[in-house]
Amino acid sequence: MTDLANALGLRLPIFLAPMAGDVARPELVAAVSEAGGLGQLGGGYLAPEALRASVRAIRQRTDRPFGVNLFVPQRTSIESQHVDAFRKVLAAYYAKLELAQPDPIPESEDHFEQQVAVVIEERVPVFSFTFGIPRDVQLEALRKSGAYLMGTATSPAEAMALQAAGVDAVVAQGWEAGGHRGTFLQPTDEGMLGTMALVPQVVDAVSLPVVAAGGIADRRGVRAALALGASAVAAGTAFLATNEAALPPAHREALRGPRAAATRLTRVFSGKLARGVPNRFMDEVERCTAVVPPYPITHHLTRPLRAEAARRSEVDYLSVWAGQCAPMARRCSACDVLLELAAGIGNGP
Amino acid sequence: MTDLANALGLRLPIFLAPMAGDVARPELVAAVSEAGGLGQLGGGYLAPEALRASVRAIRQRTDRPFGVNLFVPQRTSIESQHVDAFRKVLAAYYAKLELAQPDPIPESEDHFEQQVAVVIEERVPVFSFTFGIPRDVQLEALRKSGAYLMGTATSPAEAMALQAAGVDAVVAQGWEAGGHRGTFLQPTDEGMLGTMALVPQVVDAVSLPVVAAGGIADRRGVRAALALGASAVAAGTAFLATNEAALPPAHREALRGPRAAATRLTRVFSGKLARGVPNRFMDEVERCTAVVPPYPITHHLTRPLRAEAARRSEVDYLSVWAGQCAPMARRCSACDVLLELAAGIGNGP
C-alpha cells in the first residue's frame, strides 16, 4: 500500500483513468471506487448540470472516494477561412450520414468556470485536470473545498510546472496512453515520452507522488509502474471493454479488430492529439491538406458525425479512443480488471 | 538470475544494446562483458575485415561472451530523380563544410553475406540482427557455428515472425529506444509501441525469452522490464556517456544540451527511422518537401557530412542517436552503469 493510497483513503493505488465521453459512466466510476480503487469521471465534455447529475449518480452508488477530471481551456486562435476549409472537408461525411453540419462553437472560459463551481459545490474528493493548469484562484477555491488536486504531465518540465502551481500529485501520462494527450508546454516532442522513460524522469523532477499512466493493462504493468517509482497507476483501456463501461457495439468491434494493434495519435476528431484505433475517417482526413482547427472547434465540428456513426454502428466514422494495450482489453467486470491489476502490488518481479 | 543469462553464461541479464557507428567500440563492448553483462558490437556499418578486426579486439580484452549485431538488407527502390533532388538539398550543407558530395552507393546483398561469414568464421557467441530476418541458409549456418540467435521486434507480429524463423530469443525494442527502429513489417504504427505496452504483448505472443529495450537507464527500468516479463534488458543510451564509449565531444555536448529531452524519430540522416537529439540539420531537412531516399542510400549520402561535422565538433550537422532517457546518461565507467542496472535485479518494487 502506498502513501498516496492512504492519503486518499483507498485500499488500492489503482485509478480509473478519466475517459471523457460516453464510456466512463457513473456505473464504471462507482464500480472501481467500490472495489477499492479510485474511479474518475471524465467530465470535460459535460455541461455543468450534467456534470452535477453524474457526480450525484456516482454518490448514489458508492460512498468511497472518487475523482472528476476536467479539461483546462487553452487560448487558441484560427482564421475563419481555415475553419471554412475544414468544414468543406467534413461536408462529404455529413452528406454520407444525411446529417446537417453544425456551426463552429467558440471556446468559452465560462464553461470551465461553471464546471469547477460544480466540483466545488458537490465537494468532489479528488479533482484532476489536463490540457493545462487552472488559474490560481480556481486551484485555491478547489483546495478550500477539500479536493485533492492532481494535474496531468507528459514531460518532466510540465510536472515541475504543476508542482509550482501547488498540486498534490502529478499524473505522468506516457506515449502509450489512449485518448487525448495532456501536453500543454512546448516542444511537443518532450510530450511524447514512453511511460518507461517518463515516469523515472518525472519522479526525479518533482517531490510529489506520481501516478503512472499509459500502457498499464495487467498485473505486470502495475508492478513495472511501481518499480519505476510511481505511487499509483491509472488504467483506462483495460476498463474499456468491461460490463460497466458503456462501450457502443461498434467501438467494441473496433477494439477486437485488426487495427486495434496499430493505434495512433490523430488531431482530426477534436483538434487535439489523441490516441485511438485507426479507421477510414482518420486515414482520409489526415491525408487531406486542410488545416485542422484547434480544440475545441474541431471537437464540436465532428461531434454530431461521431454520435450518428455510433448510433448506426458505423465504425468508419467513430473516434475509438484506446491506448497501445487495446488488444489486452478484456470483456469482464470492472472488479475482475481491478483484481488483475491489484495482483501486481507488493510483489517483486 | 534468469534462464537466458544462464543459457548465455552471463552473471547479469543485462545487455549493451548494439550501437552501430563509432560509439560502441570494442573497449565498451568488452567492458560490459567483463563486468558480467553481454557486450554487443553494432557491426552494421563495418566492412567485413573491419568487423573481423573489431571482433578480435573484443576477444583480446575479454574471454567472456559477447555479441555482434548486423543490419539485414531490405529490398528498396527509388527513382533516380528523387535521389538527385535529395542530393540538391544536401548540396548546401556540403558547401557549408567545404566537402565534395559523394555519389549514391547502391545496397549490396554481398556486404551482409560477407559480414555474416565473418561472424561464423570468428565463432561469435551471440548474433543479433535488426531491420528484418536473414535467409534460412544464413540462419542455419550461424546456428551451426554455435551462435545464439536474437532478432529485433517492434511489434508482437514481428516477434511471431522471428519465432517462426527459429531464433533463440526476441529483442522487444520499444518506442523509447535510441537509434534505428528495427521495424520490418507493416503497418508502421504497430512498430511504435512504448516498452510498457510492447513487452507484455510480445511475451504473450511468443514462447521465447524476451529482451526488453527502450527507456531502460537505471535500476528502476531494469526492475520494471523484468516485472513486464522480460528475461533480460538491453541498454544503450545509459552507456553513451561512459568513459569506454568513444563519444565525440560534440555528441557529449548535445546529450547535455536542452534538446536532449526532446529526442525524436527522423529519416533524414539514414533513410530509416531513428531516434536522436534534434539539431539544425534535422529541423531544416525534415521541413523540405524532397523525398528522403530509403536506407542505405541516404546513410551514404549524409555520412561524409556527419563525419566532418564530428571532426569539427559542429553539433548542427551530427546524427546524435539517443533514446528518451538521454537526460539520464551519466559520465562514469561502463562498470558503474552496469552496477546501477544490476541493482534492479531480484528485488521487488
Side-chain angles (χ1 to χ4, degrees):
Chain A
M1 190 43 51
T2 65
D3 295 346
L4 176 57
N6 290 332
L8 294 174
L10 306 174
R11 285 183 301 180
L12 300 168
I14 300 171
F15 299 2
L16 171 67
M19 296 184 276
D22 305 328
V23 176
R25 297 175 305 177
E27 288 81 350
L28 177 58
V29 176
V32 172
S33 288
E34 266 300 289
L38 182 78
Q40 291 191 95
L41 179 76
Y45 301 137
L46 297 177
E49 286 319 305
L51 175 59
R52 191 188 305 276
S54 295
V55 167
R56 293 183 174 177
I58 294 167
R59 278 226 164 88
Q60 278 169 15
R61 291 173 170 77
T62 183
D63 52 13
R64 292 233 169 88
F66 65 93
V68 166
N69 177 275
L70 296 177
F71 297 153
V72 179
Q74 286 174 296
R75 302 237 169 292
T76 54
S77 70
I78 181 164
E79 287 138 32
S80 60
Q81 78 263 24
H82 286 316
V83 176
D84 298 339
F86 190 68
R87 295 182 78 236
K88 282 197 182 66
V89 171
L90 296 178
Y93 299 95
Y94 275 95
K96 207 165 294 174
L97 295 186
E98 299 144 317
L99 278 181
Q101 200 170 358
D103 295 324
I105 300 172
E107 170 75 313
S108 142
E109 283 281 345
D110 304 352
H111 179 68
F112 179 70
E113 187 72 46
Q114 291 158 12
Q115 290 175 315
V116 168
V118 170
V119 170
I120 291 170
E121 288 155 20
E122 297 295 321
R123 303 216 170 278
V124 172
V126 177
F127 175 69
S128 68
F129 52 90
T130 186
F131 299 173
I133 304 177
R135 300 203 311 278
D136 288 345
V137 290
Q138 294 171 320
L139 288 177
E140 189 47 38
L142 286 156
R143 208 176 283 109
K144 278 217 187 75
S145 79
Y148 186 90
L149 303 180
M150 300 194 299
T152 307
T154 62
S155 70
E158 289 176 346
M160 288 186 277
L162 289 165
Q163 176 168 268
V167 300
D168 299 304
V170 171
V171 178
Q173 182 193 33
W175 159 259
E176 297 91 332
H180 285 90
R181 308 282 313 142
T183 306
F184 60 94
L185 293 178
Q186 297 301 331
T188 309
D189 291 310
E190 282 187 19
M192 297 300 179
L193 295 173
T195 300
M196 188 72 90
L198 175 66
V199 172
Q201 294 185 68
V202 167
V203 166
D204 292 344
V206 298
S207 57
L208 300 170
V210 173
V211 181
I216 300 165
D218 64 13
R219 68 186 66 187
R220 295 171 293 186
V222 171
R223 227 174 252 155
L226 297 177
L228 292 174
S231 300
V233 305
T237 302
F239 289 96
L240 261 187
T242 55
N243 310 328
E244 292 85 350
L247 200 67
H251 284 68
R252 211 177 281 282
E253 188 187 316
L255 267 185
R256 279 197 311 262
R259 303 191 73 180
T263 61
R264 67 168 186 255
L265 296 176
T266 189
R267 294 183 63 248
V268 299
F269 285 115
S270 70
K272 214 178 223 327
L273 277 181
R275 178 176 297 283
V277 179
N279 60 9
R280 183 172 160 189
F281 184 87
M282 268 170 69
D283 295 340
E284 291 176 356
V285 180
E286 285 172 4
R287 265 199 304 275
C288 80
T289 57
V291 174
V292 178
Y295 182 90
I297 298 171
T298 296
H299 166 72
H300 292 302
L301 289 178
T302 67
R303 192 174 198 173
L305 194 70
R306 292 177 281 133
E308 176 65 9
R311 209 180 57 69
R312 297 191 189 190
S313 292
E314 200 23 295
V315 179
D316 284 350
Y317 311 108
L318 289 171
S319 52
V320 184
W321 300 140
Q324 292 187 326
C325 284
M328 296 171 73
R330 296 179 304 125
R331 179 158 200 174
C332 57
S333 72
C335 186
D336 289 340
V337 174
L338 207 67
L339 286 169
E340 166 59 28
L341 295 170
I345 298 165
N347 313 323
Chain B
M1 189 44 51
T2 65
D3 296 346
L4 177 56
N6 291 332
L8 294 174
L10 306 173
R11 285 182 302 179
L12 300 168
I14 300 171
F15 299 2
L16 171 68
M19 296 183 277
D22 305 328
V23 175
R25 297 175 305 174
E27 289 78 352
L28 176 59
V29 175
V32 172
S33 289
E34 266 301 289
L38 182 78
Q40 291 191 96
L41 179 76
Y45 301 138
L46 296 177
E49 286 319 304
L51 175 59
R52 191 188 305 276
S54 294
V55 167
R56 293 182 174 177
I58 294 166
R59 277 228 165 85
Q60 279 169 13
R61 292 173 169 77
T62 183
D63 53 11
R64 292 234 169 89
F66 64 94
V68 166
N69 177 276
L70 295 178
F71 298 153
V72 179
Q74 285 174 298
R75 302 237 169 291
T76 55
S77 69
I78 182 164
E79 287 138 30
S80 60
Q81 78 263 25
H82 287 316
V83 176
D84 297 339
F86 190 68
R87 295 181 78 236
K88 283 199 181 65
V89 171
L90 296 178
Y93 299 95
Y94 275 96
K96 205 164 295 175
L97 295 185
E98 298 143 320
L99 278 182
Q101 199 169 3
D103 294 324
I105 300 172
E107 170 75 313
S108 142
E109 283 281 344
D110 306 352
H111 180 67
F112 179 69
E113 187 71 45
Q114 292 159 14
Q115 290 174 314
V116 168
V118 170
V119 170
I120 291 169
E121 289 156 20
E122 297 295 322
R123 302 217 171 276
V124 172
V126 178
F127 174 69
S128 68
F129 53 90
T130 187
F131 298 173
I133 304 177
R135 287 185 279 111
D136 289 344
V137 290
Q138 294 171 320
L139 288 176
E140 189 48 38
L142 285 156
R143 209 176 282 109
K144 279 217 187 74
S145 78
Y148 186 91
L149 304 179
M150 301 194 299
T152 307
T154 61
S155 70
E158 289 177 346
M160 288 186 277
L162 289 166
Q163 176 169 268
V167 300
D168 299 303
V170 170
V171 178
Q173 182 193 33
W175 159 259
E176 296 91 333
H180 285 89
R181 310 279 315 140
T183 306
F184 59 94
L185 294 178
Q186 296 303 330
T188 308
D189 290 310
E190 283 187 21
M192 298 299 179
L193 295 173
T195 300
M196 188 72 91
L198 175 66
V199 172
Q201 293 186 66
V202 168
V203 166
D204 292 343
V206 298
S207 56
L208 301 170
V210 173
V211 181
I216 300 165
D218 65 13
R219 68 187 68 190
R220 295 171 293 185
V222 172
R223 226 174 253 154
L226 297 177
L228 291 174
S231 300
V233 306
T237 302
F239 289 96
L240 262 186
T242 56
N243 310 328
E244 292 85 348
L247 199 67
H251 285 67
R252 210 178 282 283
E253 188 187 316
L255 267 184
R256 278 198 310 263
R259 303 191 72 179
T263 62
R264 68 170 185 254
L265 296 177
T266 188
R267 294 183 64 247
V268 299
F269 284 116
S270 70
K272 214 179 223 325
L273 277 180
R275 178 177 297 284
V277 179
N279 61 8
R280 183 170 159 190
F281 183 87
M282 267 169 70
D283 295 340
E284 291 176 356
V285 180
E286 284 172 3
R287 264 199 304 275
C288 80
T289 57
V291 175
V292 178
Y295 181 90
I297 297 172
T298 297
H299 166 73
H300 292 302
L301 289 178
T302 67
R303 191 173 196 171
L305 194 69
R306 291 177 281 135
E308 176 65 10
R311 208 181 58 68
R312 297 192 189 188
S313 292
E314 222 347 323
V315 179
D316 284 349
Y317 312 106
L318 289 172
S319 52
V320 183
W321 301 139
Q324 292 186 327
C325 285
M328 296 171 73
R330 295 179 304 127
R331 179 157 200 175
C332 57
S333 73
C335 187
D336 288 340
V337 173
L338 207 67
L339 285 169
E340 166 59 29
L341 296 170
I345 299 166
N347 314 322

